[in-house]
Amino acid sequence: ERIKAELEVREQIKRIEFLAKTSTEYVKLSLKEDIYKVIGDKLIEISDNSIIFINIFEESPNKITTKYVAGVGDRLEEIKNILGKHPLDMNYSVTEEQKKPMRLSQIAKIKGGLYELTFGSIPKAECSKFEKLFNIDEIFGIGLTQKEIVYGSITILTFKNTKPLDFELIEAVCNESSIALQRWIANEAV
């Protein structure tokens, strides 16, 4: 029992150290760096058995565009062949109703798989083929928001038969990422 408690404390210390390091890196981030890659790489560190999409939200014309994909290695061309376009060329129109869950800054399971995730813009057959090829189990999403303003979103596709995600840590990193993204967008506009 004592050993179990010590292991839990060590794990909690690791999580706190990771968050502190991430926060520091975000503060030092320059405009020359690709913030979407930085966010994606941070998230893949803590959810390594998954594919992560980093998306930016554009208020006008209410669309989400994929800016970075992590966890696919050298398989981007394979994805392009299945989906019919490069993942970084994908953008989706979003309704106000679809934006509501993004404002919560909490991880939500996306029911309906990749087809639902892409708001039906990719045919079901291609979505199923992708899910089988990559052995996709579940899909989760979370908004990158500050004060209910949606700056982007993160999508996590988990593989079958892998360890569960640490939702608490992912949400904490996403909250830090939201602040960094808000700052980066504001600085880029200047």
Side-chain angles (χ1 to χ4, degrees):
E1 192 64 35
R2 192 175 132 246
I3 293 172
K4 184 180 177 184
E6 285 178 14
L7 288 174
E8 286 176 16
V9 168
R10 283 189 197 141
E11 195 58 38
Q12 191 64 17
I13 289 169
K14 274 194 215 173
R15 294 164 90 216
I16 291 167
E17 287 172 345
F18 182 82
L19 288 170
K21 180 181 164 204
T22 299
S23 183
T24 301
E25 287 175 16
Y26 283 159
V27 168
K28 294 178 179 180
L29 195 66
S30 78
L31 281 175
K32 294 176 187 170
E33 293 178 78
D34 182 350
I35 190 164
Y36 309 106
K37 180 181 182 329
V38 173
I39 293 170
D41 291 348
K42 278 287 156 202
L43 286 167
I44 209 73
E45 275 186 61
I46 58 173
S47 35
D48 58 346
N49 291 316
S50 60
I51 298 172
I52 297 178
F53 291 83
I54 308 297
N55 312 295
I56 188 165
F57 178 74
E58 297 173 58
E59 195 70 46
S60 179
N62 255 359
K63 73 176 185 174
I64 289 179
T65 303
T66 302
K67 295 300 233 175
Y68 185 71
V69 182
V72 294
D74 57 0
R75 298 179 80 181
L76 273 177
E77 278 303 310
E78 224 174 326
I79 294 172
K80 180 181 170 186
N81 292 336
I82 292 170
L83 302 180
K85 53 183 155 181
H86 196 286
L88 299 182
D89 294 334
M90 293 184 192
N91 57 61
Y92 315 97
S93 295
V94 181
T95 65
E96 283 303 314
E97 192 63 30
Q98 291 165 325
K99 266 176 43 180
K100 281 182 185 177
M102 290 182 215
R103 287 192 177 100
L104 300 176
S105 296
Q106 296 175 333
I107 291 181
K109 184 175 179 177
I110 298 171
K111 297 178 175 115
L114 191 59
Y115 181 75
E116 185 70 27
L117 172 69
T118 62
F119 306 106
S121 66
I122 297 173
K124 279 187 179 182
E126 280 80 3
C127 291
S128 294
K129 191 175 179 182
F130 177 90
E131 290 172 358
K132 282 182 184 170
L133 176 70
F134 283 93
N135 203 26
I136 301 300
D137 185 23
E138 295 179 303
I139 300 176
F140 300 92
I142 184 170
L144 294 172
T145 63
Q146 280 295 303
K147 299 178 184 165
E148 294 196 13
I149 296 171
V150 179
Y151 293 99
S153 67
I154 294 170
T155 307
I156 303 171
L157 289 71
T158 63
F159 303 130
K160 292 180 180 170
N161 304 317
T162 56
K163 68 180 181 175
L165 297 173
D166 183 342
F167 292 125
E168 188 178 331
L169 182 57
I170 291 169
E171 285 180 358
V173 170
C174 288
N175 287 330
E176 287 184 346
S177 300
S178 295
I179 294 165
L181 183 58
Q182 176 191 23
R183 189 179 130 259
W184 192 83
I185 288 170
N187 287 337
E188 191 178 54
V190 172

